[in-house]
Amino acid sequence: MQALPSTSANSPHARRPRVWGWVLLAPMIAWLVLFVILPMVILFVYSFCTRDDLGRVVFEFTFDNYRRVGDPIYLTILGRSIAYAALTTVLCIALGYPVAWFIARQREAVRNTLLLLVMIPFWTSFLIRTYAWITILKGEGLLNGLLLAVGFIPEPLTLLYTPFAVIIGLVYAYLPFMILPIYGSAEKLDNALVEAAHDLGAGPVRAFSEVIVPLTWPGIAAGVLLVFVPAIGMFAITDLMGGARVPMIGNIIQNQFSKAFNWPFGAALGVVFTFMFILAYALIQRRGARDPHS
Amino acid sequence: MKLLRILPLLVLAAVFATVARAADKELNLYAWSEYIPQSVLDDFTKETGIKVNYETFASGEEMLAKLLAGGSRYDLIQPPDYIAEALIKNKLLIALDYKKLPNFKNLLPEFTKMPHDPEQKFTIPYMAGTVGIVVNTEKIKEPVTGYKDLFQKKYKDRIVVLDDGRELVVAALYTLGIGLNDITPANLEKARPVLADWFKLIKLFDSDSPKTALLNGDVDLGLVWGGEGAILWNEDKKFQYILPSEGAHLFVDILAIPKGARNQVAAHKFLDYILRPEVSAAISEEFPYTNPNGEARKLLKPEQLANPASYPKIVKKLDTFRHIGESSTLIDELVTDLKNAK
Amino acid sequence: MPTPTASRPLLPSGLRLLNLGFGVWTVLVFIFLYLPILVLVAYSFNTSKLNIVWEGFTFRWYADLWSNVPITRALKNSLIIASFTTVAAVVIGTGGAWLLHRYRYRFSRTLQTLICVPMIMPEIVMGISLLVFFTVINLELGFLTVILAHVTFCFPFVLVAVQARLQGLDPALEEAALDLGASPLKAFWLVIVPCLRPAIISGALMAFTLSMDELIITVFTNGLGSATLPTVVYGMAKKGLNPMLNALSAIFILTTIAFVLFSSHLRKLSTR
């Protein structure tokens, strides 16, 4: 993880910005201030408020929302969400890395076509895609039908509404977000380099694991970031394919703004969740900066 | 990238899409998606020249959030009954002018002066429904009459229920003989062991489309919205809908004019139009909910009235949800806790 | 850049084997990606209105699609919003990544973390806080607010993808261009951007896809007339996701694929 993209900020060739460096960055800073920091401030203020009976915020200071966040139940739920996200990330790397590498080895026109083909399935609607998966995985579904016909299994398996289905759904949804960044950094690798490694006596597997993979670390790290982080908050897939039997942190937060009519507590959960992420991210960044290997 | 090349065309399209609208001949309607047939809206426009802008929501809470934020100005909204009650309490609705609503008399008396609007000042019922039990009678031969027959050990992993804490808690309270609006910490503690047992038997929770798992055959029993039950029955008569003997919950979706509405005249015209028997019957034709309009019911076909989920046999007086305010947090805590422990 | 194919025949046999293995793997992954799409297309011919169980074959839904204004309008809205979002996200994301790479700002690390916050922020939290924010500044909900919201959670994806690419970039590249007398802007446009192209394309694709598929934030930031396809589809679940939606997706997907394959074929012909 030492190669998180952040380290580019510490690139040895980076200079101190002069006027233009700041002027050009200004639009992005403005964007961040307006649409990220300000909403976060609103959220932060809300999290210390009480509510009226419509769930609306009443500006009256309280610390109760944070006291409730400390309940161990929310920690277990967060732990579960993180575990699912981590498993998804690992599987996405395993499935996606060879694909990214293979696409990167093609001619440019073919490369772009293949990249588009990776993404196009996701231009349909999420619900319709998920219902297609339900059609495949259900008790009398296509997969069971196929396995029964081949004689692989004596009776239909229970696939749908299990953790297995959830993982399939999550991997399916996030796989492209692993393939694309890895492709971005694998594309520039020179074949000559790979061959050189091979010429020096490394077998294909060693050449791959000791030369190629380290060179694409930035891509893998970016992919991990783009898959792992959003997957923690995901709950639509766990609801639809897992039967909503176990709550995820995303459900909990969503509920506070809807059924539970408790915006301030939802805000407090959101604040804690976001700050935990910021803290973890900052720690990893710091370690990455200290580690000269990256 | 091809996409970038067709962009100028899209820019033009966007400009056309946001052309300014004339305000006085328009009605901004904020309602449930898939609840008002397009033909009904088109006929209204043809008759009055008022264009209906139908903006949709998929949950009552979503509607409430947007309404409270006040970002858009709506002339007519369609909240569920208990949210309407909260809106009335917070003085967010405008009183109706009954002189402009001659068709109001068509409504069945049991759908007026309901607990959410006891003086019948602010709300017009649009459609109603119940929450009940669906049984796949091909797979389940024993009779099911109440919650206790539904949640039996032998039906483990064959049950779908609504993913809605309040509906589940209310079902548990009914089996204990507690009123559905008595949401107190003590009553919830009594409901906890009942729910804990039930949760072990449930295969999945789904509020959006519980019919899917039933049709797929992944489950054989369910606690679902009446509308879902009606669709299932229309699809296959093996899906029977039963109102639980312990007691059941009636919900009414209402139409109301929110504070800040710009075109109240058009809103009243639309309300009166919806209350016409033939219009109301046309809505029932498309959506099999319980029609509160007595005159409209006379126009329905016998098979529509025979649908047990739209017009269920009422064993016990039905109750409606009241606005419970902050107690909804207690329900959410309880259900989260039980689901997590499962 | 030398095309990899030119040197491929020279690859040692072991590596060629590895490449072959990866090729087979890629085919399998593509089957995984397109399996639900095949089911989806097949079910667009289903006679059952609820479209959960297969009943029979019909073309009816394709015909019905022409007359269903809300659905086609929603698709159009989605495309408009996703296109604008993609362009803005690519500009902000690429520019931001480059600036953070080239200059050492005092708050570089803080900025970096902030940029990633929209990815972790639960959608409903972002949706509601943006709704409150837009209301406070009195911005009418509509296309503009949806695009602003979408850009906010899309551009970090572009930025992260481009940064990963920048990390391996030879710093001499820009210096050489500058030494040859190019202005920094020209050096960026003519030297750096072409180098970053694969990452920019990846980022753009991710941004477009995220925007096309986003539901919750859209729900809270859209207004009259800016309903997108996901919001309409979600609303329809109550009545049953009828095969018309599959038909729409099928047409959209198949024309896009045909277009992509056709244009790459054309390019092949022209380069020959």
Side-chain angles (χ1 to χ4, degrees), chain C residues 13 25 37 44-45 49-50 67 82 87 91 100 107 122 180 184 200 209 215 219 224 236-237 241 246 264-265:
Chain C
S13 62
W25 188 264
I37 304 304
S44 70
F45 301 106
K49 206 175 169 180
L50 294 176
S67 53
V87 173
V91 171
L100 284 179
F107 310 108
L180 289 173
I200 295 176
T209 308
L215 171 69
V219 154
L224 270 174
M236 286 176 78
L241 295 170
N246 293 52
S264 74
H265 181 69

Side-chain angles (χ1 to χ4, degrees), chain B residues 108-123:
Chain B
L108 291 169
E110 62 260 40
F111 287 99
T112 61
K113 298 193 176 169
M114 294 181 72
H116 61 265
D117 185 11
E119 293 167 54
Q120 191 56 45
K121 267 167 94 173
F122 301 97
T123 61

Side-chain angles (χ1 to χ4, degrees), chain C residues 47-214:
Chain C
T47 43
S48 162
K49 206 175 169 180
L50 294 176
N51 206 18
I52 292 168
V53 182
W54 179 264
E55 275 178 10
F57 186 90
T58 178
F59 278 117
R60 177 185 153 198
W61 307 107
Y62 287 85
D64 280 9
L65 206 55
W66 295 121
S67 53
N68 194 311
V69 184
I71 291 186
T72 42
R73 196 199 291 137
L75 177 62
K76 195 186 83 183
N77 288 350
S78 282
L79 286 172
I80 293 170
I81 288 166
S83 307
F84 275 101
T85 301
T86 307
V87 173
V90 164
V91 171
I92 298 178
T94 312
W98 171 243
L99 290 168
L100 284 179
H101 177 76
R102 185 156 184 286
Y103 297 111
R104 199 180 305 124
Y105 293 98
R106 197 166 308 156
F107 310 108
S108 279
R109 272 210 213 133
T110 320
L111 268 178
Q112 184 72 39
T113 313
L114 266 181
I115 288 161
C116 294
V117 164
M119 293 199 296
I120 190 83
M121 231 189 198
E123 287 150 318
I124 186 135
V125 170
M126 197 159 151
I128 291 210
S129 55
L130 284 174
L131 170 67
V132 172
F133 175 63
F134 291 141
T135 315
V136 168
I137 62 168
N138 218 351
L139 194 60
E140 196 178 340
L141 298 179
F143 278 91
L144 181 63
T145 50
V146 176
I147 292 170
L148 289 176
H150 280 201
V151 173
T152 305
F153 69 80
C154 285
F155 90 84
F157 283 78
V158 181
L159 193 136
V160 168
V162 172
Q163 266 183 340
R165 174 88 180 178
L166 275 170
Q167 271 187 294
L169 192 77
D170 190 348
L173 217 61
E174 196 209 1
E175 275 155 34
L178 292 176
D179 288 347
L180 289 173
S183 65
L185 192 69
K186 232 176 170 176
F188 175 68
W189 190 248
L190 294 177
V191 179
I192 306 298
V193 168
C195 273
L196 298 179
R197 213 165 71 182
I200 295 176
I201 291 175
S202 302
L205 278 172
M206 290 193 280
F208 187 82
T209 308
L210 286 166
S211 171
M212 282 294 283
D213 222 17
E214 160 56 35

Side-chain angles (χ1 to χ4, degrees), chain B residues 96-111:
Chain B
L96 299 169
D97 179 357
Y98 283 94
K99 272 183 267 140
K100 292 181 185 149
L101 302 172
N103 285 320
F104 181 77
K105 60 176 193 310
N106 296 336
L107 287 170
L108 291 169
E110 62 260 40
F111 287 99

Side-chain angles (χ1 to χ4, degrees), chain B residues 121-320:
Chain B
K121 267 167 94 173
F122 301 97
T123 61
I124 296 290
Y126 176 76
M127 285 287 156
T130 49
V131 171
I133 298 169
V134 164
V135 178
N136 179 345
T137 51
E138 261 175 26
K139 300 270 184 66
I140 304 291
K141 296 299 180 195
E142 285 170 52
V144 175
T145 59
Y147 302 110
K148 283 187 174 147
D149 305 327
L150 170 64
F151 294 106
Q152 296 191 66
K153 284 227 167 58
K154 60 183 170 190
Y155 298 146
K156 184 172 168 26
D157 282 341
R158 292 169 76 184
I159 304 170
V160 56
V161 298
L162 296 172
D163 192 14
D164 185 313
R166 189 164 180 193
E167 298 290 353
L168 298 172
V169 165
V170 161
L173 291 179
Y174 269 130
T175 63
L176 298 166
I178 300 172
L180 83 170
N181 290 307
D182 292 337
I183 309 290
T184 61
N187 284 343
L188 287 177
E189 271 320 299
K190 284 184 206 155
R192 179 189 285 270
V194 179
L195 284 171
D197 286 342
W198 289 3
F199 275 31
K200 288 183 197 122
L201 310 173
I202 293 166
K203 171 104 168 183
L204 78 145
F205 299 80
D206 184 355
S207 294
D208 295 323
S209 179
K211 60 184 170 296
T212 306
L214 282 155
L215 277 170
N216 276 333
D218 281 326
V219 293
D220 302 318
L221 301 122
L223 185 65
V224 305
W225 311 118
E228 293 274 311
I231 294 172
L232 284 166
W233 191 79
N234 283 341
E235 188 71 13
D236 195 328
K237 302 288 178 279
K238 73 181 178 191
F239 292 112
Q240 274 299 326
Y241 183 84
I242 305 119
L243 284 186
S245 54
E246 293 97 335
H249 153 224
L250 172 81
F251 60 85
V252 187
D253 287 314
I254 61 116
L255 284 167
I257 305 175
K259 275 260 156 71
R262 282 180 214 161
N263 202 345
Q264 294 183 35
V265 178
H268 278 92
K269 272 189 192 161
F270 188 80
L271 285 176
D272 198 48
Y273 168 79
I274 287 288
L275 288 168
R276 284 186 207 165
E278 64 278 11
V279 175
S280 189
I283 297 168
S284 280
E285 183 74 37
E286 196 129 341
F287 304 107
Y289 298 91
T290 311
N291 195 322
N293 191 317
E295 295 303 311
R297 278 199 196 179
K298 290 178 188 158
L299 302 175
L300 299 181
K301 298 184 202 104
E303 66 261 33
Q304 280 178 287
L305 291 168
N307 192 323
S310 310
Y311 302 97
K313 200 166 64 188
I314 295 165
V315 192
K316 212 177 162 190
K317 193 183 162 296
L318 297 170
D319 308 291
T320 54

